[in-house]
Amino acid sequence: MANGTAFLGAARPTGAEKTSSVVKTVYLIRHGEALHNVLEQQAKHGAAAEAHALGLSKGTAQFNALVVEARRRVLNDETLADAELTTAGEAQAEDARRDVEMLAAKYGLPLPTRVLVSPLQRALQTAGIIFPDHPCVQVHSELRERRTGLPCDQPSSPKMMKNSPSFSSFDFSDILSEEEATYSEEGIRGGFFEQEEGIRVEETGCMMTGRRVQNRSISSMSDIDGLEDASQLRLRTFQLIDLLSKLEDEALCVVTHKGYLRELERGPFGQSKAPEFGTAEVRVYDVLLSTDGLATSLRYCRSESSFATAPVPAELISRTAARLMGA
């Protein structure tokens, strides 16, 4: 692996400077390969072959329509609700664990004292493999993938996941308290969200039943009503900056999803040219949080070339925070 390093110019603050600025080492990790990732790719390749057999050229409207329809058939499959890692995905997570250990040893990076993870099962599994005995793994709903309405992006009930032996040591308190505070028993009956069958999600073309899927439950009404586009997801990623500023840890890890990481890097982290994460890829940033705004610097990525860093003005952070609070 190569080190795409670009170090933050400012030294880590000491003494009186601590009150106005702090630098944190943030590991970003995408989950390993999940079942829906494999089936989606197979569907795309199959549709492309079918299109070629029909004499359709790549890039034409007819070609694209066949590929899109094939993807939708897979992603609308309710048996893929909260999709799990594949065997290959588990192996990728093992590789990521070794990557984290290598980075700490080779480049003198501090190991994360806190792990923040999405509530979707593929991210939870990845975090469990990379940090099997970590004492502080916290599950946060704001780190989940974009709300698409698709079964694969619907998190399982946090109460059920908490009771799984694989995740029993994880801290679900944030997401459990959030669910309890937001939804009354009228919204969730008998452990499963009761909704009339045939709810149509227009943005994705997905048909959802709101019924039991693989003995899991839809974790909240917002999974159906709170669909997001990319700009809304980018706005949500600013919540991570607020969380980082509140935590005392100097080194943290975030285990999440491709879409979330794309909007985090290209939005709050100011990396407009950041390529999308590969499965179980690890990147490391220095993140400077100060009263003057936010600045990030890439310390490590797989690629030989690092991408340019850019500060995010305090005015943008303030405006975004105001929008998040509904002001």
Side-chain angles (χ1 to χ4, degrees), residues 36 90 99 115 141 143 154 221 225 233 246 296 302:
H36 71 291
E90 293 174 348
D99 288 347
V115 179
S141 61
L143 299 179
Q154 304 294 345
M221 291 174 59
D225 296 334
L233 174 57
K246 293 176 179 178
T296 66
R302 285 179 183 172

Side-chain angles (χ1 to χ4, degrees), residues 132-143:
D133 301 310
H134 201 287
C136 187
V137 179
Q138 297 179 329
V139 185
H140 290 269
S141 61
E142 60 265 36
L143 299 179

